[in-house]
Structures are given as structure tokens and as C-alpha cells.
């Protein structure tokens, strides 16, 4: 978003500092750690068929916990990220389409088409 729109609008973006980048990075790592923590709690090493492997061992009723873990994974690993990506890229495209620059109109039109194709390709890959 910042690379495409902030560059095109040629204005500085407030808050883009190394400290802010560090804080965002730590926040993302902390969030991811919290999201995968339930799986770390239920993970155990098991010797099955002569091979050691990591398995999830849920408490009783195991079927309930298994379904809950699948739903948890679906929502947190697919639905929320894909929805966020779709909304953010759609917003980016709408704002990009709304931009009007008088000079270099032909070059801007070509750049908009290339960005649109790139965004559509990214969304297609994410959805697949």
C-alpha cells in the first residue's frame, strides 16, 4: 500500500520510523506466538510405527477438540488473512483508480493497469 500510493502521491507518511517498524514487528511476532500457543500445548512426541513424530493429543472429548482445532485453524489461518488481504487490496485499487495526475497521464494509466494485474494475480494466488 505504502509503496504504491505513498510513492504516487509523493508525500511523506507520518510514523514511518525504525522504532515504529520494530514495534509492529514485535506485535506481529507476539500475536503469532499467541495464536500457535494452543497447538504447542497439545503437541507431543509419539513413537508410531517405529517413527518418532509430533502429534496433537487432545483431552476428552477428543472429537470436540479436534473439530475446534480445525475451526480455529480455518478462521485464523485462512478466513481472517484472506478477508484482510481482499479488503486491503480492493481499497488500494479503488484509491489508485481515483488518483488523477495531470502530467504523464499515459504512463500513469499503464502503471495503474500493471498494478491492477499484479493485485489480481496476488489475490488469485491467495485464494487458491
Amino acid at each position: 500500500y505504502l509503496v504504491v500510493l505513498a510513492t504516487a502521491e509523493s508525500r511523506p507518511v507520518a510514523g514511518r520510523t525504525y522504532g515504529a517498524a520494530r514495534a509492529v514487528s514485535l506485535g506481529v511476532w507476539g500475536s503469532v506466538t499467541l495464536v500457535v500457543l494452543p497447538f504447542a500445548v497439545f503437541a507431543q512426541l509419539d513413537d508410531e510405527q517405529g517413527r518418532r513424530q509430533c502429534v496433537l493429543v487432545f483431552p476428552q472429548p477428543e472429537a470436540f477438540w479436534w473439530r475446534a482445532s480445525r475451526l480455529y485453524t480455518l478462521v485464523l489461518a485462512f478466513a481472517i488473512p484472506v478477508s484482510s488481504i481482499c479488503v486491503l487490496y480492493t481499497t488500494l485499487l479503488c484509491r489508485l483508480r481515483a488518483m488523477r495526475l495531470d502530467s504523464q497521464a499515459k504512463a500513469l494509466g499503464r502503471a495503474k493497469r500493471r498494478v491492477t494485474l499484479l493485485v489480481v494475480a496476488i489475490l488469485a494466488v491467495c485464494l487458491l
Side-chain angles (χ1 to χ4, degrees):
Y1 177 84
L2 291 174
V3 168
V4 173
L5 291 181
T7 302
E9 293 174 352
S10 297
R11 63 178 177 179
V13 178
R16 283 182 70 185
T17 64
Y18 287 113
R22 237 181 245 123
V24 168
S25 182
L26 286 173
V28 168
W29 278 101
S31 299
V32 168
T33 301
L34 288 175
V35 166
V36 299
L37 194 59
F39 292 101
V41 169
F42 294 123
Q44 291 182 4
L45 286 176
D46 187 33
D47 288 317
E48 198 170 298
Q49 299 175 351
R51 291 190 325 189
R52 194 166 217 187
Q53 48 190 325
C54 184
V55 295
L56 295 175
V57 179
F58 295 112
Q60 296 299 327
E62 190 172 339
F64 166 79
W65 285 96
W66 182 255
R67 275 189 240 116
S69 75
R70 297 298 96 201
L71 182 62
Y72 184 82
T73 302
L74 175 69
V75 170
L76 290 176
F78 180 75
I80 291 174
V82 168
S83 299
S84 300
I85 287 169
C86 288
V87 167
L88 292 172
Y89 274 125
T90 301
T91 303
L92 179 133
L93 285 178
C94 290
R95 293 209 39 203
L96 185 65
R97 293 277 172 208
M99 283 176 110
R100 300 283 181 244
L101 296 177
D102 295 333
S103 63
Q104 301 170 342
K106 205 173 206 178
L108 180 63
R110 244 189 337 266
K112 284 182 180 182
R113 273 192 301 279
R114 289 178 70 189
V115 170
T116 300
L117 286 174
L118 179 64
V119 167
V120 168
I122 289 170
L123 288 177
V125 168
C126 284
L127 291 173
L128 288 177

